[in-house]
Structure formats: C-alpha cells, structure tokens
Amino acid sequence: MTATLTGRTAPAAPSRGAAPRSRPRRRVAPYLFVLPALLLFAAFKIYPIGRSFVISLHKTVGGTERFVGVDNYTRLLGDPLFWTALKNTSVILAVQVPLMLALATGLAVALNSTLLRGRAVFRLGFFLPMVTGLVAYGILFSVLLSKDYGLLNWLLDLFGADPVPWLTDPLWAKASLGLALTWHYTGYNAVILLARLQAVPAELYDAAAVDGAGAWTSFRHVTLPGLRPALLLTTVLSTIGTLQVFDEPYVLTGGGPDNATLTIGVYLYQNAFKYFDFGYASAIAYALAVLIGILGMIQFRLLGEKP
Amino acid sequence: MELERRRVLRIGGAIAAGAGLTGLTACSGTGDTGQGGTTGEKHKGRISVWSWQGPAAEMKALVPEFNKKYPEIEVTIEDIGNPAIWDKITTGLAAGGQGLADVLHIGVDYLPGYVEKFPGGLADLGPLGANAYRDAFAQGLWQTVTPDGKRVNALPWEANSAGFYYRADLFEKAGVDAGALQTWEETIEAGKEIKQKTGAHLLGIDKPASQADAANFFQMLLQLQGTFYFNLAGDITLDSPEAVKAMTLIKTMNDAGLVSDLSGGWNTLMTSLKQGTAAVLPMPTWFGGVVEEQVPEEAGKWKVRLPPAVRRGGSTAAMVNSTHLAVAGSSKHQAAAWSFVEFVLTRPSSQVQIYKGKGIAPALMQAYDDAVFHEPSPFFSGQKKGEVFLDALKAPSSAFNYTADYARALKLVTDAQSKVLLGGADPAKVLGEAADQLARQTGRKVSR
C-alpha cells in the first residue's frame, strides 16, 4: 500500500555483469532471517485464508462437512439480510468516511501549525481513542447515548430540546454509529496525514507566499497535493476498515434496531458464532474480500499517481 | 512492465489484506472428539467449570463440601459471564474441544444447537451414570437432555417457570386486584388504570432489541399457549394464530402507552427496577432473587403470582427456560467432571443451598421437599413464593422444541417485534415474513 510513496526514482537494477559473485551461504542468510516471519505469516494468514475458502464451499450437516460447491455464494445473492448489511455498510462508507477524512485533514493542519501551543498533548489526545478497548468503548458510548440516562440527552435537556433516541431509532442509530466511528478513527488518520504534512518542503510555502498566495490558495495548491499519497493511504485504509466494521455496531446496537445498523462484519459474526453456519460465514468473508479488493483498485486508480 | 507488476501486486495486496482481516480463521472442524464418556478416574483429577455470575458463585460455595467427599478432585469454577459464555463455548467446540472447561453450564436455548452442530462435543453422560436420574427432574426436562432417548447430553439444573412479579402497592393505589386478573386483556385494562393513577408503565420491553433476550415476554406468551417457534416435528410455527395473538397483545399494550423501553438490556432493566418504572415484571422464577437483591428497601411492597392466561381459561403455567450442566467431550477428566455434576445436581441439599443463595429454582423435584420452598417470604408480603412456582412445575405443560435453529428464529422474532413496537407494523404481516425468511434460511417447512 505504501508503494506510491516511493517516487519514480527507483534505483536501476545493477547490470548482470557487474554483480559480485556471492557465495551460496550469503544468499541463504537473508532467507533464514525472514523465515520466522514467513512461517508465522503462512500459519496465521495464508493458511486461514485458504482454509476459509475451503470452508466456504462446505456446509455442516449433522456434524459432518458436506461439499456443496458454490451453494453458499448463490445463497448470498438471494439473502435479503446480506443486502441490508451491504447497504448499511455502503451508507456508512459514503457518508462517514469523507466526513472523517475532511475532519482529519483539518486536524492535521491545525496540529501542524506552530501557532498551537502544547501540540504533543493534542496529538496524544486525538490518537488515544484508537487504543481504547472494546468494552470501555461500549460503556463510554452507552453512557453518552442512552435515551433516558445518557449525557448527550441530558445536555440537550438543558437547552430545552427533546431527548433523541440515539440507539433505538433506525436512522439515529446509523448516525450514532457514524459518530462513534468518527471518534474512534479521526485521530488515527490525522496522525498519518500529519506525518506526511511534515514532509512537505517549507520552501514550497515560501515560494507560494512570494507569489502572493493566501492561506486558502497555499492549502489548495501546496498542502493538498503534498498530502495526496497520505490521503490515498487513509482513504484505502478507512474503506477497508469501514467495510469490515464490527466493533461499533456490536457493542452499541448489536446490529439493530431491526437491522438498521447490521454491517457485513456483524452479519458474518452472527452466522458463524450465533448460528454455527461456518460455511456461509466464510462465503460472506470472501464476498467482502472481493468487494474490498475492487474498491481498493478503484481508489488507487482515482487517487494514485498518474503514470 | 515494472509499473504493471507493481499494480498487480497492489491489487493482490488489497485483496489479501481484505481476506486476511476478514477471513474467518479456520474455525470449523467437526469437534468430533467424544470419547464415549469414560475418560479419567471418578475420584481423582483437576477439573474446571464454566458458568456465569450467580450460579458460578453458588457452585463455588459448594466446592468445600464437595472436597470432603472427593478430596482428590481439584475444582476451579470460572465466571465467564452471560452472554459471553456462549461465544466462548462455541469457539471451543468449533476448535474440536480445544481449551474448553471440563464442565459447561448451558442454557436450553443453546443446547440443541451445540449437540447438533458439534456431535461428540459434549460427552455422553449415560455411561457415566446419568440414567439413574431419569425420573428425578421436572417433567419434560429429560426429553430436553436426551432428545434421541439414547445419548444423555447434559443434566438439568434450573427449571424456570413463567412468573408475574408485581408492585402490590401500585396495584392497590390504582384500585386493581392483581390476584383476580385472569387474562392478559384484563391486565391491559388494569395497566391503563395504573398508568393513569400512578404514572407507572405496565411493563417494559427492550423495544429495539438491543439484547437477544428482548423477546422473552413474547416467548412467554407463546409458551403459556403451549406453542413455540417450532413444533415438535421441527416445522416453523412462527406465524401461528397463537403467535399473532401474542404479538397483538404486545402491540395493544404499546399503542396504549403501557410499555416502557428497556433498550440497553440488563443494566436498563435494573435501573428501571430501582426507579419503579413498571408495575409488573413478567419474569421467570430466578428473577425473584434479583428483585430482593436490588430493592431490599421495597420489602412488603412486592408480590408474585403466575401470569394471567392468554385466553380465558387457558394455562397460567409454562416452563420458560432451563439450564443444564454438560461435560465436554474433549475433557480428559470426564469421570471426575461427572462426579461434580452429580454432586451439584442430584443431591437435594446442594440444590436447596443454591436456592437459598440466589433463588435459583431446581429442576430436581426431590429438592422441593425442603421446608425452604414452603416458607412465607417477608419480602414478597408473606407469600409462599416457592410454592407458587412449584405449582407451575407440577402443572401439565407442553414440551418445547428449541431446535438447532433457535438463534436464527429468535433474531427474526426480535426484528419483527421491533418493527411492531417502533414502527407500529402489523403483527400478522411481520410474523408471516419472519416465518418465510426462516424457512429460506434453514430449509425447514412452515406449518400453516
């Protein structure tokens, strides 16, 4: 994914004649060093990926696995709940991700500004939600969002507003999910963008200032182009993350009410660990992986470097 | 060329990232490690037990006494928490029994699913000696633990009957005689009086179904009519006239403003209990212990009775759930584990002690000979609470077929209920859709 960060100046491969003849032992050593990592990768990534595909072609009947070919995949196409999950996930993706990335960009620029005092504290503050545990997260938001006993409704009440059914109304539940996701990931994205921002040469800003560019013009013509690789990275990561989103709906709404916040991740979980339908759950996982692949490709095309 | 290759790698990487992160880590497996149930020694070994909150604490209290009889068995009781325990057992069974405790506490809602999807995941208790207790438990429960009449998958622990816990002071204030209510329709009328005179709701339901047990009340109304989500043949009966009647009652209550929202599950329920939001808690036997523990200062204000019937003259007794102790098929100390299960579940004194501790109702009928079930309860206005539920256990009641697809059915039911409670949907319509959907998902027939 960081491939785009390497510029066009990749060193040319040394010509064959000039390469020193290395003894075999020296050629083996590097592989030995990466072997543990490769083995772990094979055991915990490659094997599950492959096994999960095999499972997706099976169905458990009376405790024994029976090969059913693509049955699980065709079942997916006719399953209204899968489409509901896909629709919900797409809505979150289309609404929440752009908003969050815009917010993260604004934050990154603010945190990069020399005008701000105590920047380290703010950076830490915005990054902290990223490492908050699932349980703490759930408790925090249920305290905030509970209809009758929540902090947000208490605040609304101070201003004379009616309580909002944050988690119990289908539409508000989606909004609450967006809110929780934004809280969770904005800081993380801001930190990535911030890192890139600091690599934008200061001379470019000086040159823009000399040419008479104002704050907005230099943001548009210097900052944004400079941020492009990092924006691509955060967009792709957020897309993958959002398509797989599980924690938030799991702890806040359980996918409800009436499947309004059912995401593909939650549906996968339900099929595997509530209904013991591992074959079908694996098929969902593969459908999701293909979706992520396609969306990732499109984003690289649209945002990536033009050849 | 270089660029092409890089692009291919990127695309491959994106797909792999997706698959790796979402990929269900090879967790199928048949779990077929059952040993026929004769592993280990009956008097020796180190065993672990998985349960949750109250029952775990009560089992822990029994361990010293157990060790007097079996000094060489070391028992560790773990409070996994409910509902976390279900995921943990599922994962263990799916991994072929890896990492499971020796003794597992399992609810009736999960037992058939575990047995069907993971044959051999639970040990057969028959060869260990379970058959000696065939007639010891409340009716219907033996059939629950040995559906095929051969393998004994577990031993019954709790037998919970439907109950009707109510705030007698609120009923009095509204001028309604709670004891005289014969049907739920009459109860709704009473609820209107209570709401008007005291401001309290009749009862509470987790309207958006934030927790899986949001349909407990609906399920109870079904069971009072002797029906369930499936009939005994395993066909779907989700949109039977009884089910539509039950959902219609709920809708009527809700439309009249008598139902408070308990979204948030257990914590909200406890808050509501402390605040006196609702006049009635239509909860099973074990809930009495919770009420006493949560609002001790309200002693004398509470009473309990069996729920009103759904139709005039109908049944007021129903066993709404039960829990069981099973032994893992993968356990290396099955015989020792059985010794513990036998000690806890078949000795009346163990069960009596547990009842005293947490109000957990035994399935073991002999336990009810103890005086504790026949004493007046100061908290429940001097009523003999134990006898109320004992009557229900003795009343003829239907057997309910939970099947391996209960979890799917429950999910569809809670969705349908949310549609009714939040959107005012038509009960017959949403239940019909749920039944069709369930048939598509499971391949079962809809019985209409």
Side-chain angles (χ1 to χ4, degrees):
Chain A
M1 231 134 290
T2 51
T4 45
L5 291 175
T6 55
R8 253 166 277 170
T9 52
S15 69
R16 193 164 294 178
R21 289 184 74 84
S22 49
R23 280 164 293 156
R25 233 197 323 156
R26 277 187 61 197
R27 265 193 261 157
V28 168
Y31 292 100
L32 281 178
F33 284 122
V34 295
L35 192 64
L38 277 180
L39 284 178
L40 285 174
F41 184 73
F44 292 104
K45 287 280 181 204
I46 308 280
Y47 173 73
I49 291 170
R51 180 86 179 106
S52 159
F53 182 68
V54 174
I55 294 174
S56 79
L57 303 176
H58 287 77
K59 190 180 177 186
T60 316
V61 183
T64 49
E65 281 186 32
R66 189 179 294 168
F67 183 78
V68 290
V70 293
D71 267 16
N72 284 324
Y73 292 94
T74 47
R75 183 177 152 199
L76 207 56
L77 297 176
D79 179 355
L81 275 182
F82 176 72
W83 292 106
T84 305
L86 191 60
K87 203 182 88 197
N88 291 338
T89 312
S90 311
V91 168
I92 297 171
L93 189 67
V95 177
Q96 192 263 338
V97 170
L99 274 179
M100 173 182 66
L101 289 184
L103 196 61
T105 310
L107 261 182
V109 172
L111 290 175
N112 198 34
S113 160
T114 44
L115 299 173
L116 186 69
R117 281 165 191 275
R119 276 176 291 166
V121 176
F122 281 104
R123 285 175 196 176
L124 178 72
F126 285 111
F127 190 74
L128 266 184
M130 193 61 210
V131 292
T132 307
L134 188 61
V135 175
Y137 192 3
I139 293 173
L140 179 69
F141 272 86
S142 44
V143 169
L144 278 177
L145 298 176
S146 161
K147 180 166 179 263
D148 296 322
Y149 317 107
L151 186 67
L152 275 186
N153 278 349
W154 179 75
L155 285 174
L156 285 177
D157 189 49
L158 288 185
F159 294 102
D162 285 333
V164 173
W166 293 105
L167 298 173
T168 53
D169 174 81
L171 193 64
W172 280 111
K174 277 200 189 80
S176 304
L177 205 58
L179 190 72
L181 279 167
T182 306
W183 175 81
H184 203 173
Y185 294 106
T186 302
Y188 173 75
N189 288 308
V191 167
I192 295 178
L193 291 169
L194 181 62
R196 176 67 203 179
L197 211 50
Q198 289 170 341
V200 177
E203 300 88 65
L204 290 181
Y205 288 102
D206 296 341
V210 169
D211 287 347
W216 171 246
T217 315
S218 80
F219 174 75
R220 246 191 76 194
H221 294 285
V222 181
T223 310
L224 271 188
L227 273 181
R228 198 163 79 168
L231 275 175
L232 173 65
L233 177 71
T234 49
T235 307
V236 172
L237 285 181
S238 303
T239 304
I240 295 178
T242 306
L243 283 172
Q244 300 180 52
V245 71
F246 172 78
D247 296 12
E248 287 79 6
Y250 179 74
V251 296
L252 290 180
T253 56
D258 190 21
N259 300 314
T261 56
L262 183 77
T263 62
I264 301 177
V266 171
Y267 192 49
L268 187 160
Y269 167 82
Q270 286 176 348
N271 273 287
F273 297 104
K274 290 270 178 279
Y275 313 147
F276 313 125
D277 202 344
F278 295 107
Y280 194 48
S282 295
I284 296 174
Y286 261 84
L288 182 52
V290 169
L291 263 178
I292 289 173
I294 292 172
L295 273 180
M297 236 161 64
I298 294 173
Q299 286 167 341
F300 271 111
R301 266 204 185 203
L302 291 180
L303 286 167
E305 273 180 292
K306 306 282 182 290
Chain B
M1 190 60 211
E2 174 62 23
L3 227 147
E4 272 315 304
R5 197 177 61 88
R6 218 192 272 162
R7 182 177 293 160
V8 170
L9 282 176
R10 259 188 239 145
I11 296 163
I15 292 178
L21 294 167
T22 53
L24 190 63
T25 39
C27 54
S28 175
T30 58
D32 196 1
T33 49
Q35 304 271 335
T38 46
T39 325
E41 289 179 60
K42 200 170 170 4
H43 292 270
K44 222 186 201 160
R46 185 184 287 179
I47 58 166
S48 54
V49 182
W50 282 358
S51 180
W52 57 86
Q53 295 90 5
E58 292 308 312
M59 271 194 272
K60 210 171 259 179
L62 283 179
V63 170
E65 219 183 318
F66 174 73
N67 279 138
K68 274 185 209 154
K69 191 171 173 198
Y70 296 101
E72 284 186 274
I73 299 181
E74 192 187 323
V75 189
T76 319
I77 314 276
E78 289 178 58
D79 173 2
I80 307 294
N82 186 347
I85 188 169
W86 311 123
D87 290 350
K88 206 162 162 158
I89 295 178
T90 309
T91 319
L93 287 171
Q98 287 281 322
L100 279 182
D102 301 272
V103 177
L104 306 168
H105 193 179
I106 303 178
V108 67
D109 36 355
Y110 282 85
L111 189 64
Y114 289 153
V115 169
E116 189 170 314
K117 305 275 166 147
F118 309 105
L122 303 179
D124 181 3
L125 302 182
L128 292 163
N131 284 316
Y133 303 103
R134 184 177 291 271
D135 302 314
F137 301 102
Q139 54 176 335
L141 283 179
W142 193 253
Q143 199 193 341
T144 305
V145 296
T146 61
D148 62 358
K150 285 175 240 148
R151 276 183 62 93
V152 184
N153 300 311
L155 220 52
W157 178 346
E158 274 174 88
N160 290 303
S161 300
F164 185 96
Y165 293 94
Y166 63 99
R167 283 277 303 269
D169 57 330
L170 293 183
F171 272 83
E172 213 164 289
K173 211 163 151 192
V176 182
D177 178 6
L181 297 172
Q182 285 190 25
T183 63
W184 276 99
E185 259 121 20
E186 288 176 23
T187 312
I188 293 175
E189 292 310 311
K192 290 177 185 164
E193 292 287 309
I194 294 169
K195 183 82 191 284
Q196 201 194 352
K197 302 241 171 74
T198 71
H201 290 89
L202 178 62
L203 45 81
I205 297 178
D206 180 355
K207 292 184 187 180
S210 61
Q211 304 290 321
D213 56 10
N216 277 358
F217 181 56
F218 171 74
Q219 207 163 297
M220 174 182 128
L221 291 177
L222 274 186
Q223 290 175 317
L224 281 173
Q225 301 173 83
T227 63
F228 198 56
Y229 302 160
F230 306 93
N231 61 21
L232 291 181
D235 297 338
I236 298 162
T237 51
L238 250 189
D239 59 347
S240 64
E242 289 86 359
V244 174
K245 170 84 182 170
M247 195 60 90
T248 308
L249 279 173
I250 292 176
K251 182 171 158 61
T252 312
M253 278 174 208
N254 191 54
D255 291 351
L258 304 180
V259 182
S260 76
D261 187 8
L262 294 183
S263 64
W266 185 255
N267 291 337
T268 318
L269 175 63
M270 290 303 107
T271 313
S272 147
L273 174 59
K274 284 177 187 154
Q275 295 188 340
T277 319
V280 173
L281 287 148
M283 298 290 277
T285 320
W286 59 269
F287 197 76
V290 176
V291 178
E292 281 189 55
E293 212 171 82
Q294 292 290 324
V295 285
E297 70 283 356
E298 287 178 11
K301 290 184 179 171
W302 284 84
K303 275 191 176 173
V304 59
R305 53 163 283 183
L306 295 183
V310 174
R311 288 173 212 274
R312 194 166 296 279
S315 170
T316 60
M319 195 193 291
V320 288
N321 61 48
S322 53
T323 66
H324 311 263
L325 287 186
V327 173
S330 58
S331 165
K332 290 195 177 66
H333 305 282
Q334 290 184 1
W338 162 254
S339 298
F340 184 73
V341 170
E342 189 179 31
F343 184 87
V344 173
L345 300 185
T346 65
R347 260 176 25 122
S349 55
S350 297
Q351 286 295 307
V352 167
Q353 195 177 324
I354 290 173
Y355 178 80
K356 281 181 187 159
K358 288 273 185 255
I360 294 171
L364 185 71
M365 289 313 280
Q366 211 194 325
Y368 289 97
D369 294 343
D370 194 277
V372 72
F373 294 95
H374 308 275
E375 282 166 0
S377 153
F379 186 87
F380 289 97
S381 319
Q383 281 185 298
K384 292 178 180 167
K385 175 174 144 251
E387 287 185 359
V388 172
F389 289 105
L390 182 56
D391 287 345
L393 273 190
K394 286 181 176 165
S397 74
S398 320
F400 302 117
N401 186 6
Y402 279 76
T403 80
D405 291 316
Y406 174 70
R408 278 193 196 278
L410 181 60
K411 166 80 173 113
L412 288 164
V413 164
T414 53
D415 287 349
Q417 182 177 278
S418 292
K419 285 189 182 104
V420 169
L421 291 177
L422 300 174
D426 172 50
K429 185 170 166 279
V430 290
L431 286 175
E433 285 166 2
D436 289 336
Q437 166 86 351
L438 187 59
R440 261 201 306 277
Q441 285 180 350
T442 61
R444 289 177 191 273
K445 277 189 308 205
V446 182
S447 160
R448 278 184 180 128

